[in-house]
Amino acid sequence: MTEFDFLIVGSGLFGAVFAHECRKAGKKVLVIDRRQHSGGNVYCENVNGINVHKYGAHIFHTNDKPIWDYVNSFVTFNNYVNSPLAVYKDELYNLPFNMNTFHQLWKVKTPQEAKAKIAEQVAALNISDPQNLEEQALSLVGVDIYEKLIRGYTEKQWGRKASELPAFIIKRLPLRFTYNNNYFNDKYQGIPIGGYNLLIERLLEGIEVRLNTDFFSAREELSALAKTVVFTGQLDEFYNYRFGMLEYRSLRFEHQELATDNYQGNAVVNYTEREVPYTRIIEHKHFEFGQQPTTVITKEYPQEWTKGLEPYYPINDDTNAGVYKQYKALADKETDVIFGGRLAEYRYYDMHQVVGSALHMVRQHLKTSE
């Protein structure tokens, strides 16, 4: 006799939404997580009143009103708008690429002047069939934007020269010919007031959560507790890497509390030179308009992923796509396991997509199991 209807492996956003909907439908749920906290990568650590995004900046943005209404039914989101800056040597530029950026680069003031400057640089390169990321980017934006704002950042992010990366990584580069520094085009955007932990706590209210519990250390016993397992971890690990490991890029975070009330004046500042080892500095208090006397900054260093490190970005090249396909064929045959979330589906998800995917999957499952 099983104790639970669902065992949910992983208490991140996907697992928490799935668990909440199951409980709402009257199902008995157990959530486990190998970490010592719930929330997965949206977890925040409170440092003197500042919610520090422990696993990188998380900014919720969506055009989907039902999803926006859903998350706001648990917590109220503030009106934070992501307007990052980029530092190249001693120069400061607005992101995304917009009229402020073009004025900073070339002192142009009108969209016509900016378009003409980009067109002139692109035409001079005469690249008709881009063979790699470098050529692709150059053919879209010209030399100045590429050299100052794309090349170094991209090479750090991927750990490879831009000329060695496939062209398809950059399908397009959005150029905005208005003086608008809002990074996202989405209608709804913000950070939960009180931080993401509050959102996770409310999603998991009334649900048994066991932390410091590794599914793989007691797989059979844990699986036997429930009729259905919802697995949000790495798909290749679930199948004991039988077709080989799926590849990721990882990140290393260097957190620092500083005795100043304001370090950089913005939540996100990118460093686009190859010579600067980190890709960006996050100043967390600005996500929630904090007035604390101190501040916390995080330097973000991309790194190669190896087993034991956190997997962040799937490397969606042909080789990994082939390996994933083999695992997916096995997953599709499972009758009492549901795979969901960015690791189990080996794809990059924004937060609103994670919520949408979890809601879709749980509703489908509850409907068919009635």
Side-chain angles (χ1 to χ4, degrees):
M1 178 72 179
T2 52
E3 273 183 71
F4 299 93
D5 295 300
F6 292 92
L7 168 71
I8 296 177
V9 181
S11 64
L13 205 47
F14 187 97
V17 169
F18 204 105
H20 178 83
E21 292 302 306
C22 288
R23 181 180 176 270
K24 207 164 75 176
K27 305 295 181 185
K28 198 150 188 252
V29 184
L30 170 65
V31 175
I32 63 169
D33 203 298
R34 59 164 60 142
R35 288 176 178 170
Q36 58 190 14
H37 60 74
S38 57
N41 288 353
V42 302
Y43 171 75
C44 297
E45 185 182 339
N46 192 291
V47 178
N48 290 327
I50 299 164
N51 286 310
V52 175
H53 296 211
K54 281 288 280 186
Y55 303 96
H58 284 80
I59 300 148
F60 203 98
H61 57 97
T62 184
N63 273 322
D64 191 320
K65 189 167 190 303
I67 285 178
W68 182 245
D69 290 343
Y70 182 81
V71 292
N72 274 272
S73 71
F74 301 97
V75 286
T76 304
F77 279 68
N78 67 18
N79 62 341
Y80 172 81
V81 169
N82 190 31
S83 306
L85 293 166
V87 174
Y88 177 78
K89 299 194 172 170
D90 289 329
E91 300 161 358
L92 205 58
Y93 296 97
N94 289 102
L95 295 175
F97 310 137
N98 69 69
M99 284 304 300
N100 288 308
T101 325
F102 307 143
H103 178 71
Q104 289 148 353
L105 280 165
W106 308 306
K107 297 292 176 269
V108 296
K109 291 177 183 164
T110 68
Q112 288 73 23
E113 289 174 304
K115 285 176 185 176
K117 189 78 181 169
I118 292 164
E120 177 195 324
Q121 290 195 1
V122 168
L125 294 163
N126 199 24
I127 300 168
S128 56
D129 181 21
Q131 295 300 299
N132 53 54
L133 185 146
E134 178 164 279
E135 291 181 0
Q136 174 78 339
L138 285 167
S139 70
L140 291 168
V141 296
V143 176
D144 291 344
I145 295 174
Y146 173 70
E147 287 293 343
K148 293 188 174 187
L149 299 175
I150 297 170
R151 181 182 182 163
Y153 191 91
T154 304
E155 292 186 344
K156 285 188 283 190
Q157 193 79 330
W158 291 97
R160 288 156 186 78
K161 286 185 175 176
S163 56
E164 294 167 6
L165 289 164
F168 74 78
I169 290 176
I170 293 183
K171 290 189 173 70
R172 60 188 189 88
L173 284 166
L175 299 171
R176 197 181 277 170
F177 294 96
T178 58
Y179 289 89
N180 176 8
N181 298 322
N182 181 353
Y183 193 77
F184 301 117
N185 289 316
D186 297 310
K187 191 173 178 182
Y188 308 105
Q189 181 176 174
I191 305 278
I193 295 171
Y196 283 99
N197 293 6
L198 204 53
L199 171 62
I200 298 296
E201 281 163 23
R202 290 183 177 163
L203 282 164
L204 294 175
E205 214 169 285
I207 293 165
E208 185 180 343
V209 180
R210 296 181 194 170
L211 301 173
N212 299 306
T213 303
D214 187 343
F215 175 71
F216 296 104
S217 64
R219 182 173 182 155
E220 282 181 30
E221 300 93 304
L222 287 164
S223 298
L225 293 174
K227 293 173 197 161
T228 304
V229 173
V230 178
F231 184 77
T232 71
Q234 288 169 253
L235 186 59
D236 52 357
E237 187 179 13
F238 187 88
Y239 289 109
N240 203 25
Y241 308 106
R242 75 172 69 167
F243 304 122
M245 283 191 190
L246 290 165
E247 293 179 298
Y248 291 88
R249 287 291 286 166
S250 190
L251 296 167
R252 178 171 66 82
F253 301 105
E254 207 175 80
H255 306 286
Q256 222 180 333
E257 188 177 12
L258 303 173
T260 178
D261 65 336
N262 192 352
Y263 174 75
Q264 63 187 18
N266 206 46
V268 183
V269 178
N270 290 359
Y271 285 78
T272 61
E273 285 166 77
R274 187 71 184 88
E275 294 68 32
V276 177
Y278 43 86
T279 46
R280 56 185 184 170
I281 297 179
I282 307 298
E283 187 169 11
H284 301 268
K285 70 191 302 179
H286 296 306
F287 288 130
E288 297 181 64
F289 318 116
Q291 300 298 313
Q292 297 88 350
T294 60
T295 195
V296 178
I297 63 164
T298 299
K299 290 177 180 169
E300 205 168 286
Y301 298 82
Q303 58 183 8
E304 288 292 327
W305 177 81
T306 55
K307 204 175 167 190
L309 294 177
E310 282 300 324
Y312 286 98
Y313 303 107
I315 298 176
N316 296 120
D317 58 15
D318 292 342
T319 306
N320 285 292
V323 175
Y324 170 69
K325 201 174 172 183
Q326 290 176 280
Y327 285 121
K328 179 79 166 72
L330 291 182
D332 288 343
K333 290 179 189 149
E334 301 282 354
T335 53
D336 51 6
V337 185
I338 296 166
F339 297 91
R342 61 189 183 86
L343 297 178
E345 297 177 64
Y346 194 64
R347 58 179 292 187
Y348 182 78
Y349 268 136
D350 282 327
M351 281 184 289
H352 70 282
Q353 293 168 320
V354 172
V355 173
S357 173
L359 287 172
H360 174 73
M361 276 198 211
V362 71
R363 286 165 185 169
Q364 289 290 104
H365 192 83
L366 290 171
K367 200 191 292 180
T368 56
S369 63
E370 276 170 6

mmCIF file of all heavy atoms in Angstrom, residues 26-66:
data_model
loop_
_atom_site.group_PDB
_atom_site.id
_atom_site.type_symbol
_atom_site.label_atom_id
_atom_site.label_comp_id
_atom_site.label_asym_id
_atom_site.label_seq_id
_atom_site.Cartn_x
_atom_site.Cartn_y
_atom_site.Cartn_z
ATOM 1 N N GLY A 26 -6.724 17.279 -3.970
ATOM 2 C CA GLY A 26 -6.992 16.273 -2.942
ATOM 3 C C GLY A 26 -6.024 15.112 -2.934
ATOM 4 O O GLY A 26 -6.279 14.087 -2.296
ATOM 5 N N LYS A 27 -4.919 15.230 -3.633
ATOM 6 C CA LYS A 27 -3.929 14.146 -3.684
ATOM 7 C C LYS A 27 -2.927 14.281 -2.532
ATOM 8 O O LYS A 27 -2.651 15.387 -2.057
ATOM 9 C CB LYS A 27 -3.171 14.157 -5.020
ATOM 10 C CG LYS A 27 -4.057 14.092 -6.262
ATOM 11 C CD LYS A 27 -4.804 12.794 -6.360
ATOM 12 C CE LYS A 27 -5.677 12.728 -7.615
ATOM 13 N NZ LYS A 27 -6.488 11.512 -7.657
ATOM 14 N N LYS A 28 -2.364 13.159 -2.137
ATOM 15 C CA LYS A 28 -1.348 13.158 -1.082
ATOM 16 C C LYS A 28 0.032 13.215 -1.735
ATOM 17 O O LYS A 28 0.347 12.394 -2.603
ATOM 18 C CB LYS A 28 -1.493 11.897 -0.226
ATOM 19 C CG LYS A 28 -0.788 12.034 1.107
ATOM 20 C CD LYS A 28 -1.456 11.224 2.214
ATOM 21 C CE LYS A 28 -0.787 11.578 3.546
ATOM 22 N NZ LYS A 28 0.065 10.526 4.068
ATOM 23 N N VAL A 29 0.823 14.175 -1.321
ATOM 24 C CA VAL A 29 2.085 14.469 -2.021
ATOM 25 C C VAL A 29 3.258 14.481 -1.050
ATOM 26 O O VAL A 29 3.168 15.018 0.051
ATOM 27 C CB VAL A 29 1.994 15.860 -2.720
ATOM 28 C CG1 VAL A 29 3.255 16.140 -3.533
ATOM 29 C CG2 VAL A 29 0.768 15.955 -3.610
ATOM 30 N N LEU A 30 4.378 13.921 -1.499
ATOM 31 C CA LEU A 30 5.653 14.046 -0.790
ATOM 32 C C LEU A 30 6.652 14.683 -1.749
ATOM 33 O O LEU A 30 6.801 14.246 -2.888
ATOM 34 C CB LEU A 30 6.167 12.665 -0.351
ATOM 35 C CG LEU A 30 7.618 12.624 0.199
ATOM 36 C CD1 LEU A 30 7.736 13.425 1.494
ATOM 37 C CD2 LEU A 30 8.068 11.182 0.422
ATOM 38 N N VAL A 31 7.317 15.739 -1.271
ATOM 39 C CA VAL A 31 8.357 16.403 -2.071
ATOM 40 C C VAL A 31 9.701 16.135 -1.410
ATOM 41 O O VAL A 31 9.844 16.288 -0.196
ATOM 42 C CB VAL A 31 8.102 17.932 -2.154
ATOM 43 C CG1 VAL A 31 9.250 18.632 -2.886
ATOM 44 C CG2 VAL A 31 6.774 18.224 -2.854
ATOM 45 N N ILE A 32 10.689 15.721 -2.208
ATOM 46 C CA ILE A 32 12.047 15.539 -1.662
ATOM 47 C C ILE A 32 13.033 16.405 -2.443
ATOM 48 O O ILE A 32 12.789 16.742 -3.606
ATOM 49 C CB ILE A 32 12.505 14.058 -1.692
ATOM 50 C CG1 ILE A 32 12.595 13.534 -3.134
ATOM 51 C CG2 ILE A 32 11.599 13.193 -0.838
ATOM 52 C CD1 ILE A 32 13.295 12.182 -3.257
ATOM 53 N N ASP A 33 14.119 16.771 -1.789
ATOM 54 C CA ASP A 33 15.160 17.567 -2.448
ATOM 55 C C ASP A 33 16.502 17.232 -1.851
ATOM 56 O O ASP A 33 16.632 17.121 -0.629
ATOM 57 C CB ASP A 33 14.868 19.070 -2.293
ATOM 58 C CG ASP A 33 15.558 19.887 -3.381
ATOM 59 O OD1 ASP A 33 16.814 19.867 -3.428
ATOM 60 O OD2 ASP A 33 14.867 20.531 -4.184
ATOM 61 N N ARG A 34 17.505 17.074 -2.710
ATOM 62 C CA ARG A 34 18.844 16.714 -2.196
ATOM 63 C C ARG A 34 19.536 17.900 -1.532
ATOM 64 O O ARG A 34 20.444 17.720 -0.731
ATOM 65 C CB ARG A 34 19.723 16.125 -3.305
ATOM 66 C CG ARG A 34 19.951 17.023 -4.488
ATOM 67 C CD ARG A 34 21.142 16.543 -5.371
ATOM 68 N NE ARG A 34 20.960 15.216 -5.908
ATOM 69 C CZ ARG A 34 21.336 14.835 -7.126
ATOM 70 N NH1 ARG A 34 21.862 15.733 -7.979
ATOM 71 N NH2 ARG A 34 21.195 13.598 -7.542
ATOM 72 N N ARG A 35 19.102 19.112 -1.840
ATOM 73 C CA ARG A 35 19.697 20.293 -1.201
ATOM 74 C C ARG A 35 19.118 20.473 0.221
ATOM 75 O O ARG A 35 18.136 19.840 0.580
ATOM 76 C CB ARG A 35 19.406 21.550 -2.027
ATOM 77 C CG ARG A 35 20.194 21.612 -3.332
ATOM 78 C CD ARG A 35 19.772 22.830 -4.127
ATOM 79 N NE ARG A 35 20.530 22.970 -5.360
ATOM 80 C CZ ARG A 35 20.222 23.851 -6.318
ATOM 81 N NH1 ARG A 35 19.183 24.642 -6.199
ATOM 82 N NH2 ARG A 35 20.951 23.930 -7.408
ATOM 83 N N GLN A 36 19.735 21.399 0.949
ATOM 84 C CA GLN A 36 19.256 21.639 2.320
ATOM 85 C C GLN A 36 18.188 22.727 2.369
ATOM 86 O O GLN A 36 17.769 23.158 3.440
ATOM 87 C CB GLN A 36 20.430 21.995 3.242
ATOM 88 C CG GLN A 36 21.223 23.219 2.797
ATOM 89 C CD GLN A 36 22.503 23.388 3.589
ATOM 90 O OE1 GLN A 36 22.941 22.479 4.292
ATOM 91 N NE2 GLN A 36 23.112 24.557 3.488
ATOM 92 N N HIS A 37 17.735 23.154 1.206
ATOM 93 C CA HIS A 37 16.651 24.141 1.144
ATOM 94 C C HIS A 37 15.723 23.794 -0.004
ATOM 95 O O HIS A 37 16.120 23.106 -0.945
ATOM 96 C CB HIS A 37 17.208 25.557 0.956
ATOM 97 C CG HIS A 37 18.011 25.717 -0.307
ATOM 98 N ND1 HIS A 37 17.429 25.780 -1.567
ATOM 99 C CD2 HIS A 37 19.345 25.796 -0.528
ATOM 100 C CE1 HIS A 37 18.365 25.894 -2.482
ATOM 101 N NE2 HIS A 37 19.548 25.893 -1.884
ATOM 102 N N SER A 38 14.496 24.279 0.058
ATOM 103 C CA SER A 38 13.572 24.104 -1.068
ATOM 104 C C SER A 38 13.705 25.291 -2.020
ATOM 105 O O SER A 38 14.370 26.279 -1.709
ATOM 106 C CB SER A 38 12.135 23.986 -0.552
ATOM 107 O OG SER A 38 11.805 25.118 0.215
ATOM 108 N N GLY A 39 13.077 25.186 -3.198
ATOM 109 C CA GLY A 39 13.077 26.309 -4.134
ATOM 110 C C GLY A 39 13.999 26.158 -5.323
ATOM 111 O O GLY A 39 13.972 26.981 -6.233
ATOM 112 N N GLY A 40 14.851 25.108 -5.309
ATOM 113 C CA GLY A 40 15.750 24.943 -6.453
ATOM 114 C C GLY A 40 16.587 26.183 -6.683
ATOM 115 O O GLY A 40 17.059 26.814 -5.733
ATOM 116 N N ASN A 41 16.727 26.569 -7.936
ATOM 117 C CA ASN A 41 17.604 27.694 -8.270
ATOM 118 C C ASN A 41 16.986 29.073 -8.028
ATOM 119 O O ASN A 41 17.665 30.081 -8.192
ATOM 120 C CB ASN A 41 18.060 27.595 -9.734
ATOM 121 C CG ASN A 41 19.068 26.480 -9.924
ATOM 122 O OD1 ASN A 41 19.527 25.877 -8.970
ATOM 123 N ND2 ASN A 41 19.398 26.192 -11.169
ATOM 124 N N VAL A 42 15.694 29.129 -7.658
ATOM 125 C CA VAL A 42 15.125 30.454 -7.339
ATOM 126 C C VAL A 42 15.324 30.787 -5.850
ATOM 127 O O VAL A 42 14.932 31.855 -5.393
ATOM 128 C CB VAL A 42 13.624 30.597 -7.722
ATOM 129 C CG1 VAL A 42 13.407 30.338 -9.193
ATOM 130 C CG2 VAL A 42 12.719 29.732 -6.861
ATOM 131 N N TYR A 43 15.960 29.894 -5.111
ATOM 132 C CA TYR A 43 16.164 30.105 -3.674
ATOM 133 C C TYR A 43 16.962 31.389 -3.408
ATOM 134 O O TYR A 43 17.934 31.697 -4.103
ATOM 135 C CB TYR A 43 16.922 28.906 -3.088
ATOM 136 C CG TYR A 43 17.372 29.096 -1.658
ATOM 137 C CD1 TYR A 43 16.454 29.026 -0.609
ATOM 138 C CD2 TYR A 43 18.710 29.353 -1.357
ATOM 139 C CE1 TYR A 43 16.865 29.206 0.704
ATOM 140 C CE2 TYR A 43 19.130 29.526 -0.042
ATOM 141 C CZ TYR A 43 18.194 29.454 0.981
ATOM 142 O OH TYR A 43 18.607 29.646 2.279
ATOM 143 N N CYS A 44 16.525 32.125 -2.395
ATOM 144 C CA CYS A 44 17.228 33.347 -1.978
ATOM 145 C C CYS A 44 17.721 33.189 -0.543
ATOM 146 O O CYS A 44 17.018 32.631 0.297
ATOM 147 C CB CYS A 44 16.296 34.565 -2.027
ATOM 148 S SG CYS A 44 15.697 34.969 -3.669
ATOM 149 N N GLU A 45 18.897 33.705 -0.284
ATOM 150 C CA GLU A 45 19.421 33.717 1.088
ATOM 151 C C GLU A 45 19.324 35.129 1.624
ATOM 152 O O GLU A 45 19.758 36.080 0.966
ATOM 153 C CB GLU A 45 20.896 33.261 1.091
ATOM 154 C CG GLU A 45 21.465 33.144 2.490
ATOM 155 C CD GLU A 45 22.931 32.735 2.494
ATOM 156 O OE1 GLU A 45 23.401 32.165 1.493
ATOM 157 O OE2 GLU A 45 23.596 32.998 3.501
ATOM 158 N N ASN A 46 18.744 35.274 2.811
ATOM 159 C CA ASN A 46 18.587 36.614 3.379
ATOM 160 C C ASN A 46 19.876 37.036 4.088
ATOM 161 O O ASN A 46 20.327 36.383 5.030
ATOM 162 C CB ASN A 46 17.399 36.632 4.355
ATOM 163 C CG ASN A 46 17.032 38.051 4.744
ATOM 164 O OD1 ASN A 46 17.774 38.722 5.451
ATOM 165 N ND2 ASN A 46 15.902 38.511 4.254
ATOM 166 N N VAL A 47 20.476 38.111 3.594
ATOM 167 C CA VAL A 47 21.699 38.645 4.207
ATOM 168 C C VAL A 47 21.410 40.068 4.659
ATOM 169 O O VAL A 47 21.279 40.989 3.848
ATOM 170 C CB VAL A 47 22.889 38.624 3.214
ATOM 171 C CG1 VAL A 47 24.142 39.234 3.848
ATOM 172 C CG2 VAL A 47 23.163 37.210 2.724
ATOM 173 N N ASN A 48 21.225 40.238 5.963
ATOM 174 C CA ASN A 48 20.905 41.555 6.535
ATOM 175 C C ASN A 48 19.767 42.266 5.805
ATOM 176 O O ASN A 48 19.860 43.442 5.454
ATOM 177 C CB ASN A 48 22.159 42.451 6.566
ATOM 178 C CG ASN A 48 23.167 41.962 7.599
ATOM 179 O OD1 ASN A 48 22.776 41.430 8.642
ATOM 180 N ND2 ASN A 48 24.438 42.105 7.316
ATOM 181 N N GLY A 49 18.696 41.483 5.550
ATOM 182 C CA GLY A 49 17.500 42.073 4.941
ATOM 183 C C GLY A 49 17.509 42.100 3.424
ATOM 184 O O GLY A 49 16.535 42.524 2.796
ATOM 185 N N ILE A 50 18.611 41.641 2.810
ATOM 186 C CA ILE A 50 18.703 41.617 1.342
ATOM 187 C C ILE A 50 18.489 40.190 0.855
ATOM 188 O O ILE A 50 19.154 39.266 1.342
ATOM 189 C CB ILE A 50 20.083 42.128 0.869
ATOM 190 C CG1 ILE A 50 20.305 43.576 1.325
ATOM 191 C CG2 ILE A 50 20.222 42.017 -0.664
ATOM 192 C CD1 ILE A 50 21.753 44.037 1.243
ATOM 193 N N ASN A 51 17.560 40.009 -0.077
ATOM 194 C CA ASN A 51 17.341 38.679 -0.659
ATOM 195 C C ASN A 51 18.377 38.431 -1.750
ATOM 196 O O ASN A 51 18.302 39.009 -2.831
ATOM 197 C CB ASN A 51 15.926 38.570 -1.231
ATOM 198 C CG ASN A 51 14.896 38.444 -0.132
ATOM 199 O OD1 ASN A 51 15.034 37.625 0.771
ATOM 200 N ND2 ASN A 51 13.859 39.272 -0.183
ATOM 201 N N VAL A 52 19.335 37.558 -1.434
ATOM 202 C CA VAL A 52 20.424 37.268 -2.365
ATOM 203 C C VAL A 52 20.036 36.063 -3.222
ATOM 204 O O VAL A 52 19.782 34.975 -2.709
ATOM 205 C CB VAL A 52 21.735 36.973 -1.594
ATOM 206 C CG1 VAL A 52 22.847 36.555 -2.550
ATOM 207 C CG2 VAL A 52 22.151 38.199 -0.783
ATOM 208 N N HIS A 53 19.982 36.257 -4.542
ATOM 209 C CA HIS A 53 19.658 35.181 -5.490
ATOM 210 C C HIS A 53 20.871 34.256 -5.563
ATOM 211 O O HIS A 53 21.825 34.525 -6.292
ATOM 212 C CB HIS A 53 19.342 35.769 -6.875
ATOM 213 C CG HIS A 53 18.128 36.648 -6.894
ATOM 214 N ND1 HIS A 53 17.317 36.769 -8.000
ATOM 215 C CD2 HIS A 53 17.564 37.446 -5.946
ATOM 216 C CE1 HIS A 53 16.323 37.603 -7.734
ATOM 217 N NE2 HIS A 53 16.473 38.032 -6.495
ATOM 218 N N LYS A 54 20.840 33.171 -4.797
ATOM 219 C CA LYS A 54 22.019 32.317 -4.617
ATOM 220 C C LYS A 54 22.512 31.664 -5.903
ATOM 221 O O LYS A 54 23.674 31.335 -6.045
ATOM 222 C CB LYS A 54 21.703 31.199 -3.604
ATOM 223 C CG LYS A 54 21.748 31.641 -2.165
ATOM 224 C CD LYS A 54 23.146 31.908 -1.659
ATOM 225 C CE LYS A 54 23.889 30.649 -1.282
ATOM 226 N NZ LYS A 54 25.190 30.977 -0.650
ATOM 227 N N TYR A 55 21.604 31.405 -6.834
ATOM 228 C CA TYR A 55 21.978 30.672 -8.051
ATOM 229 C C TYR A 55 21.779 31.535 -9.302
ATOM 230 O O TYR A 55 21.342 31.051 -10.327
ATOM 231 C CB TYR A 55 21.157 29.380 -8.153
ATOM 232 C CG TYR A 55 21.312 28.475 -6.946
ATOM 233 C CD1 TYR A 55 20.382 28.512 -5.904
ATOM 234 C CD2 TYR A 55 22.390 27.594 -6.831
ATOM 235 C CE1 TYR A 55 20.522 27.687 -4.788
ATOM 236 C CE2 TYR A 55 22.530 26.770 -5.719
ATOM 237 C CZ TYR A 55 21.594 26.827 -4.694
ATOM 238 O OH TYR A 55 21.737 26.015 -3.591
ATOM 239 N N GLY A 56 22.079 32.808 -9.179
ATOM 240 C CA GLY A 56 21.955 33.696 -10.334
ATOM 241 C C GLY A 56 20.660 34.487 -10.315
ATOM 242 O O GLY A 56 19.672 34.090 -9.692
ATOM 243 N N ALA A 57 20.676 35.602 -11.014
ATOM 244 C CA ALA A 57 19.522 36.518 -11.026
ATOM 245 C C ALA A 57 18.291 35.857 -11.634
ATOM 246 O O ALA A 57 18.378 35.242 -12.696
ATOM 247 C CB ALA A 57 19.882 37.762 -11.828
ATOM 248 N N HIS A 58 17.155 35.995 -10.968
ATOM 249 C CA HIS A 58 15.888 35.475 -11.481
ATOM 250 C C HIS A 58 14.880 36.621 -11.570
ATOM 251 O O HIS A 58 14.454 37.163 -10.542
ATOM 252 C CB HIS A 58 15.364 34.357 -10.581
ATOM 253 C CG HIS A 58 16.093 33.064 -10.778
ATOM 254 N ND1 HIS A 58 17.314 32.804 -10.205
ATOM 255 C CD2 HIS A 58 15.784 31.975 -11.522
ATOM 256 C CE1 HIS A 58 17.720 31.591 -10.572
ATOM 257 N NE2 HIS A 58 16.819 31.071 -11.375
ATOM 258 N N ILE A 59 14.537 36.974 -12.791
ATOM 259 C CA ILE A 59 13.588 38.063 -13.025
ATOM 260 C C ILE A 59 12.387 37.470 -13.746
ATOM 261 O O ILE A 59 12.528 36.918 -14.839
ATOM 262 C CB ILE A 59 14.243 39.189 -13.872
ATOM 263 C CG1 ILE A 59 15.462 39.768 -13.133
ATOM 264 C CG2 ILE A 59 13.222 40.286 -14.174
ATOM 265 C CD1 ILE A 59 16.560 40.246 -14.032
ATOM 266 N N PHE A 60 11.237 37.559 -13.124
ATOM 267 C CA PHE A 60 10.040 36.952 -13.716
ATOM 268 C C PHE A 60 9.485 37.893 -14.782
ATOM 269 O O PHE A 60 9.269 39.074 -14.534
ATOM 270 C CB PHE A 60 8.980 36.706 -12.637
ATOM 271 C CG PHE A 60 8.004 35.632 -13.019
ATOM 272 C CD1 PHE A 60 8.161 34.338 -12.563
ATOM 273 C CD2 PHE A 60 6.933 35.913 -13.862
ATOM 274 C CE1 PHE A 60 7.276 33.330 -12.931
ATOM 275 C CE2 PHE A 60 6.042 34.925 -14.234
ATOM 276 C CZ PHE A 60 6.203 33.624 -13.766
ATOM 277 N N HIS A 61 9.261 37.357 -15.980
ATOM 278 C CA HIS A 61 8.685 38.177 -17.057
ATOM 279 C C HIS A 61 7.862 37.288 -17.972
ATOM 280 O O HIS A 61 8.249 36.153 -18.275
ATOM 281 C CB HIS A 61 9.782 38.903 -17.849
ATOM 282 C CG HIS A 61 10.796 37.981 -18.445
ATOM 283 N ND1 HIS A 61 10.738 37.554 -19.760
ATOM 284 C CD2 HIS A 61 11.892 37.390 -17.923
ATOM 285 C CE1 HIS A 61 11.747 36.742 -20.004
ATOM 286 N NE2 HIS A 61 12.466 36.618 -18.907
ATOM 287 N N THR A 62 6.717 37.798 -18.408
ATOM 288 C CA THR A 62 5.840 37.003 -19.271
ATOM 289 C C THR A 62 4.823 37.894 -19.981
ATOM 290 O O THR A 62 4.526 38.999 -19.515
ATOM 291 C CB THR A 62 5.080 35.929 -18.450
ATOM 292 O OG1 THR A 62 4.319 35.112 -19.321
ATOM 293 C CG2 THR A 62 4.150 36.553 -17.412
ATOM 294 N N ASN A 63 4.320 37.391 -21.090
ATOM 295 C CA ASN A 63 3.181 38.037 -21.757
ATOM 296 C C ASN A 63 1.884 37.287 -21.450
ATOM 297 O O ASN A 63 0.814 37.690 -21.895
ATOM 298 C CB ASN A 63 3.392 38.043 -23.281
ATOM 299 C CG ASN A 63 4.194 39.256 -23.720
ATOM 300 O OD1 ASN A 63 4.023 40.345 -23.187
ATOM 301 N ND2 ASN A 63 5.100 39.064 -24.661
ATOM 302 N N ASP A 64 2.020 36.198 -20.712
ATOM 303 C CA ASP A 64 0.886 35.306 -20.460
ATOM 304 C C ASP A 64 0.142 35.749 -19.197
ATOM 305 O O ASP A 64 0.588 35.503 -18.080
ATOM 306 C CB ASP A 64 1.421 33.876 -20.306
ATOM 307 C CG ASP A 64 0.324 32.834 -20.301
ATOM 308 O OD1 ASP A 64 -0.724 33.088 -19.691
ATOM 309 O OD2 ASP A 64 0.525 31.764 -20.904
ATOM 310 N N LYS A 65 -1.022 36.394 -19.376
ATOM 311 C CA LYS A 65 -1.739 36.938 -18.220
ATOM 312 C C LYS A 65 -2.185 35.850 -17.234
ATOM 313 O O LYS A 65 -2.050 36.035 -16.019
ATOM 314 C CB LYS A 65 -2.935 37.780 -18.670
ATOM 315 C CG LYS A 65 -3.557 38.541 -17.491
ATOM 316 C CD LYS A 65 -4.525 39.614 -17.921
ATOM 317 C CE LYS A 65 -4.905 40.493 -16.737
ATOM 318 N NZ LYS A 65 -5.490 39.775 -15.609
ATOM 319 N N PRO A 66 -2.721 34.698 -17.707
ATOM 320 C CA PRO A 66 -3.099 33.665 -16.732
ATOM 321 C C PRO A 66 -1.924 33.205 -15.854
ATOM 322 O O PRO A 66 -2.102 32.961 -14.658
ATOM 323 C CB PRO A 66 -3.614 32.521 -17.608
ATOM 324 C CG PRO A 66 -4.120 33.200 -18.840
ATOM 325 C CD PRO A 66 -3.192 34.356 -19.064
#
